[in-house]
Amino acid sequence: MKIYRAHSYQEMSRKAANIISAQIIMNPKCVLGLATGSSPIGIYEQLVDWYNKDDLDFARVKTVNLDEYRGLDKDNPQSYNYFMHHHLFSKVNIKEKNIHIPDGMNEDAEDECKKYEELIDSLGGIDLQLLGLGPNGHIGFNEPSNCFTRKTHVVDLAEATIEANKRFFEDASMVPRQAYTMGIGTIMRAKKILMVVEGEKKAEILKRALTEEVTPEVPASILQLHPDFTLVADDAALSKLDW
């Protein structure tokens, strides 16, 4: 486990973007697992800036996203497909055929989950997976549970997750109650994992995830067992760790 401390959101974003850019430069055909939410926005802004300066080339990069709301069309402004195109894909030279996000409109959950797992396998797996940390310790949309889910699946979103995400909607009643998400097993098969965490509100759950027992009740705790896991976090998020 590698931990990098940042003194601001901007510094955290730049340090994380450095790790992703190094992956692209070392392997221009790499498969990136990408995340959404407020934490990665600064990372994507930095990557776009470097692309505009001709420091990065996305022409052969392939991407797979962690998750997507179930029931939202890809053109819905609150969908993760829309989010990724708005913050990254439309601003770099990535090929549309190389962008992969679960289809939130596929009503056949078993079919969609099976296809997404087969897709990831067909790409040779994920070279680097970017993660955020949910307020209850979830990664992707893998909520606290009594077991670790191995593969891509449909999940009922916890109230804490709905509450955290309602800021992106007009009100909480509009937040979808289900999502497609990579399973814990899918995430853990990534060759490298990079997690970014910011803010004092995440300090306690981050401490539990990194220093207490590995348990599906804190899904992110499984990352203690990954052979190449890197955390980039700000001072506030690290405030309860003696590291």
Side-chain angles (χ1 to χ4, degrees), residues 16-235:
N18 266 323
I19 294 169
I20 296 173
S21 65
Q23 179 68 47
I24 296 171
I25 292 167
M26 290 187 296
N27 179 9
K29 296 188 291 183
C30 66
V31 178
L32 297 178
L34 300 179
T36 54
S38 56
S39 295
I41 290 176
I43 298 171
Y44 298 146
E45 289 176 348
Q46 183 65 76
L47 293 174
V48 169
D49 180 59
W50 287 334
Y51 165 76
N52 288 332
K53 293 176 179 175
D54 292 326
D55 293 330
L56 282 178
D57 181 8
F58 289 82
R60 292 187 286 170
V61 171
K62 299 178 180 65
T63 67
V64 288
N65 259 71
L66 271 172
D67 39 37
E68 177 61 282
Y69 285 121
R70 193 176 185 200
L72 290 191
D73 181 86
K74 66 179 182 179
D75 295 323
N76 186 303
Q78 303 306 331
S79 75
Y80 289 157
N81 194 304
Y82 186 97
F83 176 100
M84 291 305 308
H85 280 80
H86 177 73
H87 289 288
L88 180 64
F89 297 151
S90 67
K91 299 178 180 181
V92 298
N93 64 331
I94 191 168
K95 294 180 172 63
E96 191 68 29
K97 68 178 182 179
N98 290 336
I99 296 169
H100 307 288
I101 301 173
D103 180 4
M105 296 302 291
N106 189 345
E107 296 181 1
D108 187 335
E110 184 177 350
D111 173 68
E112 184 60 27
C113 295
K114 182 174 182 289
K115 287 196 301 188
Y116 207 62
E117 283 291 319
E118 290 174 348
L119 166 71
I120 293 171
D121 288 343
S122 73
L123 296 174
I126 299 167
D127 292 303
L128 185 153
Q129 177 65 58
L130 176 63
L131 298 174
L133 178 66
N136 57 5
H138 75 243
I139 49 177
F141 271 131
N142 293 283
E143 302 285 11
S145 176
N146 59 4
C147 65
F148 290 114
T149 308
R150 291 178 56 202
K151 296 184 177 182
T152 300
H153 60 289
V154 172
V155 64
D156 294 324
L157 301 184
E159 285 303 316
T161 302
I162 292 170
E163 180 68 21
N165 288 353
K166 74 177 185 181
R167 67 188 186 277
F168 301 114
F169 295 80
E170 288 184 19
D171 60 68
S173 67
M174 299 180 69
V175 183
R177 265 45 187 175
Q178 290 186 318
Y180 286 109
T181 185
M182 288 184 196
I184 293 292
T186 313
I187 293 169
M188 289 294 285
R189 286 194 298 275
K191 299 176 184 70
K192 300 179 182 179
I193 293 179
L194 168 64
M195 186 164 74
V196 292
V197 186
E198 59 161 329
E200 187 178 358
K201 290 182 179 180
K202 299 287 180 71
E204 181 60 33
I205 194 64
L206 182 60
K207 178 184 177 182
R208 290 181 62 193
L210 297 188
T211 66
E212 297 183 8
E213 67 174 333
V214 174
T215 170
E217 295 179 2
V218 182
S221 64
I222 193 72
L223 298 174
Q224 296 179 42
L225 305 180
H226 195 276
D228 193 347
F229 168 58
T230 299
L231 169 70
V232 183
D234 67 5
D235 292 321

